[in-house]
Amino acid sequence: MKMQLTWEELHSEVQNCHRCRLGSGRMNPVPGEGDRQSPLMFVGEGPGQQEDETGRPFVGAAGQLLDKMIAAIGLSRKSVYICNVVKCRPPQNRIPEMDEAAACLPFLRQQFLLIRPKVIVCLGATAGKALIDPEMRITRQRGEWVLRKGIWMMATYHPSALLRDADKKRPAWTDMQALRQKLQDLGVYEKMLAKENL
Ligand code: SF4
């Protein structure tokens, strides 16, 4: 892969990719979508059935809950970018294997290079392990900020986990408030709000 792809090249490579076994079972790859100049990226695990059918990230029940989490800090999909560690649906929505995540990570890195976010929120343990700490325990490490190469990163619960266990909602909302504070501290929150009102 070239050092730096354009968006068109990236989407074309993802569309034709068969670098891992997930490429053979997908209906549509799901590269990601949102504001390509956003200071904030959300990274989930992988596409589910509805995402596979539509080619769009987080459009099922978990996606609707993610929308509510984002709305809780006054924002929407208009001002953030949303994608996943793997771009193709794992069969039966299983957790992506390590080698699948590793094969797909260069695409995510290209997205980081193109977007240059200031903050990345990992949704769930798979993204947290891929981007923050391979040994991540989400219940213990959620809400902790780490600074990597000038990007603030934090993991919180995946919205699917909140759908399964309502007790996780309160800590997830606490993490979202911490996210808003971080965006304010970095001086980017007001600009994002302004985009919301365009
Ligand atoms: Fe390629 Fe990623 Fe899809 Fe695997 S999951 S086939 S690496 S785009």
Side-chain angles (χ1 to χ4, degrees):
M1 198 184 287
K2 270 172 36 184
M3 283 293 284
Q4 170 87 64
L5 301 178
T6 64
W7 278 108
E8 291 68 29
E9 288 168 336
L10 174 65
H11 281 235
S12 165
E13 288 215 14
V14 170
Q15 197 67 39
N16 298 308
C17 183
H18 288 277
R19 279 190 214 161
C20 82
R21 62 188 79 79
L22 300 181
S24 57
R26 69 174 175 231
M27 202 176 290
N28 292 294
V30 185
E33 67 180 35
D35 177 6
R36 293 175 177 181
Q37 274 95 43
S38 180
L40 172 60
M41 286 179 75
F42 288 95
V43 181
E45 182 174 296
Q49 183 183 349
Q50 289 180 58
E51 290 78 14
D52 184 50
E53 285 168 6
T54 59
R56 298 187 55 214
F58 282 91
V59 290
Q64 285 166 20
L65 186 50
L66 177 61
D67 289 347
K68 284 188 190 161
M69 291 166 73
I70 298 171
I73 57 166
L75 302 174
S76 78
R77 290 187 185 227
K78 268 171 85 174
S79 63
V80 307
Y81 191 89
I82 301 173
C83 61
N84 287 299
V85 171
V86 293
K87 313 303 190 198
C88 303
R89 183 191 182 198
Q92 285 84 47
N93 296 344
R94 65 160 169 74
I95 295 170
E97 305 282 353
M98 293 268 284
D99 64 326
E100 294 160 352
C104 212
L105 267 180
F107 291 128
L108 189 54
R109 294 215 177 89
Q110 287 287 335
Q111 289 172 311
F112 295 160
L113 288 172
L114 286 161
I115 296 169
R116 301 197 168 279
K118 296 201 180 314
V119 178
I120 295 172
V121 175
C122 298
L123 298 168
T126 298
K129 284 178 181 174
L131 299 180
I132 298 176
D133 175 0
E135 305 295 325
M136 170 165 282
R137 300 273 300 276
I138 192 78
T139 45
R140 214 170 48 202
Q141 289 170 262
R142 51 143 280 275
E144 290 179 8
W145 288 107
V146 295
L147 185 61
R148 298 273 168 79
K149 296 183 183 170
I151 303 175
W152 286 99
M153 304 179 118
M154 187 229 311
T156 189
Y157 290 120
H158 193 287
S160 302
L162 306 186
L163 290 173
R164 288 193 300 268
D165 179 1
D167 287 349
K168 292 191 165 83
K169 280 190 179 169
R170 186 180 289 271
W173 253 250
T174 302
D175 295 343
M176 293 304 288
Q177 300 310 316
L179 170 61
R180 170 160 49 192
Q181 188 62 53
K182 180 62 76 183
L183 296 169
Q184 286 170 336
D185 293 347
L186 293 170
V188 296
Y189 183 69
E190 294 300 324
K191 283 180 215 153
M192 296 178 80
L193 274 187
K195 267 198 178 169
E196 292 293 335
N197 296 323
L198 276 180

